[in-house]
């Protein structure tokens, strides 16, 4: 899937907050052992600005962001604020192909594993391979059942675009907190898992549409553009979806509240 880093960055503050809430639970240094993690890996790092905060927190660690999107990594490479961070680098790669190295003391993955349905079966293997004392921290959106996503599926399944969108939108890709907690505990980690629903205040005419255009709607938009390069079908689909979103998330005096549930799990290997 092609990403549009500029569109993704449009809600940078709202998207960053869960990352900081996640990383706050990684308590390194945590007593015995090295002062800094040897290597910190950010799986599905996107445009890299959040990965850079890991490099700033652990200045003596090697921090590596891994992402399968050439567009996202090009954005990171072009970002002048990342150019001179000596302990930060990025690599093109698929999460499915990644395996932990013996010095990967902190592994972070924020808002990425929902794109990798096999992560549930990969997690035990990763956790088993991580070094003792290491931390694993993940956050995934848990909003598959929210009106924004239910409407996306129902509008996609009706209308003249239905055949072009058949099978394009994902089925539920993530577990509840208890599911991830069980995986971490089974791997011998001391762990906690939780969920938070962020009441995000968005502004603009169709702000929820703008939000999902940057992430969950992208596969549908690409499929429609491929089926009808004039863009007419994409526009018609977006107009119908936008109208449904406006009813589900009416604008108020302060803006549009878009509740967004996210699932977190953090653990430390003894
Ligand atoms: C919603 S963005 C999150 C980016 C960043 N972690 C953040 O919190 O802002 C999801 C990122 O996961 C990456 N991604 C999706 N599937 C991937 C895969 N199979 N392997 C590596 N990266 C992937 C995308 O390219 C995208 O940059």
């Amino acid at each position: 899937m092609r990403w549009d880093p500029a569109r993704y960055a449009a809600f940078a503050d709202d998207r960053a907050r869960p990352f900081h809430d996640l990383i706050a639970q990684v308590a390194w240094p945590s007593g015995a052992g090295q002062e800094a993690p040897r290597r910190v890996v950010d799986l599905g790092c996107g445009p890299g600005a959040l990965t850079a905060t890991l490099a700033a927190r652990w200045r003596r660690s090697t921090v590596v962001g891994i992402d399968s999107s050439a567009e996202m990594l090009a954005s990171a490479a072009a970002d002048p604020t990342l150019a001179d961070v000596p302990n930060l680098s990025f690599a093109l790669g698929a999460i499915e192909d990644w395996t932990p190295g013996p010095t990967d003391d902190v592994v972070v993955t924020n808002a990425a594993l929902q794109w990798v349905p096999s992560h549930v079966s990969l997690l035990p293997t990763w956790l088993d391979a991580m070094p003792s004392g290491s931390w694993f921290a993940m956050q995934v959106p848990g909003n598959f059942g929210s009106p924004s996503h239910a409407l996306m599926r129902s509008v996609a399944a009706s209308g003249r675009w239905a055949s072009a969108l058949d099978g394009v939108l994902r089925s539920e890709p993530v577990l509840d907190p208890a599911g991830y907690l069980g995986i971490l505990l089974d791997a011998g980690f001391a762990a906690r898992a939780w969920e938070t629903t962020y009441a995000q205040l968005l502004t603009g005419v169709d702000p929820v549409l703008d939000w999902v255009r940057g992430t969950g709607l992208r596969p549908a938009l690409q499929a429609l553009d491929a089926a009808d390069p004039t863009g007419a079908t994409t526009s018609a689909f977006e107009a119908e979806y936008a109208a449904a979103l406006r009813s589900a998330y009416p604008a108020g005096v302060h803006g549009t509240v878009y509740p967004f549930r996210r699932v977190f799990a953090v653990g430390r290997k003894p």
Side-chain angles (χ1 to χ4, degrees):
M1 186 178 82
R2 271 192 337 280
W3 286 79
D4 179 342
R7 193 178 281 286
Y8 182 72
F11 299 96
D13 286 349
D14 282 312
R15 295 197 201 277
R17 196 171 154 208
F19 176 90
H20 297 302
D21 291 347
L22 175 73
I23 298 307
Q25 299 304 317
V26 177
W28 191 304
S30 48
Q34 311 94 294
E35 261 176 52
R38 289 164 292 180
R39 199 161 177 272
V40 177
V41 178
D42 183 3
L43 296 175
C45 60
L50 297 176
T51 320
T53 68
L54 301 173
R57 173 171 171 184
W58 291 300
R59 289 181 193 283
R60 285 195 279 151
S61 305
T62 299
V63 178
V64 183
I66 296 172
D67 204 288
S68 59
S69 162
E71 294 86 2
M72 286 294 200
L73 293 190
S75 169
D79 184 340
T81 67
L82 308 184
D84 297 324
V85 183
N87 59 334
L88 176 64
S89 62
F90 296 95
L92 187 68
I95 290 172
E96 297 88 330
D97 298 335
W98 174 80
T99 48
T103 59
D104 288 351
D105 287 330
V106 175
V107 175
V108 172
T109 178
N110 187 64
L113 291 185
Q114 73 276 15
W115 296 103
V116 185
S118 59
H119 74 271
V120 173
S121 53
L122 290 170
L123 274 168
T125 316
W126 294 344
L127 298 171
D128 186 52
M130 287 175 65
S132 58
S134 60
W135 286 81
F136 182 84
M138 63 171 286
Q139 182 272 119
V140 283
N143 62 345
F144 187 77
S146 68
S148 56
H149 285 61
L151 289 169
M152 190 189 296
R153 291 191 296 274
S154 65
V155 174
S158 61
R160 61 188 158 93
W161 42 74
S163 61
L165 294 181
D166 189 25
V168 169
L169 294 175
R170 295 168 292 158
S171 54
E172 174 63 286
V174 305
L175 304 179
D176 283 338
Y180 293 116
L181 182 66
I183 291 173
L184 282 156
L185 294 176
D186 285 348
F189 279 55
R192 60 181 57 161
W194 70 100
E195 64 181 72
T196 300
T197 298
Y198 295 83
Q200 301 178 152
L201 183 66
L202 309 182
T203 55
V205 178
D206 283 315
V208 180
L209 178 65
D210 284 341
W211 178 287
V212 296
R213 272 178 177 151
T215 52
L217 192 60
R218 296 202 63 72
L221 298 180
Q222 284 175 23
L224 292 174
D225 286 344
D228 174 7
T230 69
T233 307
T234 308
S235 299
F237 168 82
E238 282 199 328
E240 190 168 323
Y241 182 40
L245 288 173
R246 266 179 244 131
S247 314
Y249 303 98
V253 285
H254 302 294
T256 300
V257 179
Y258 180 34
F260 201 116
R261 175 177 177 258
R262 293 181 181 271
V263 173
F264 299 76
V266 174
R268 181 176 187 266
K269 195 163 183 170

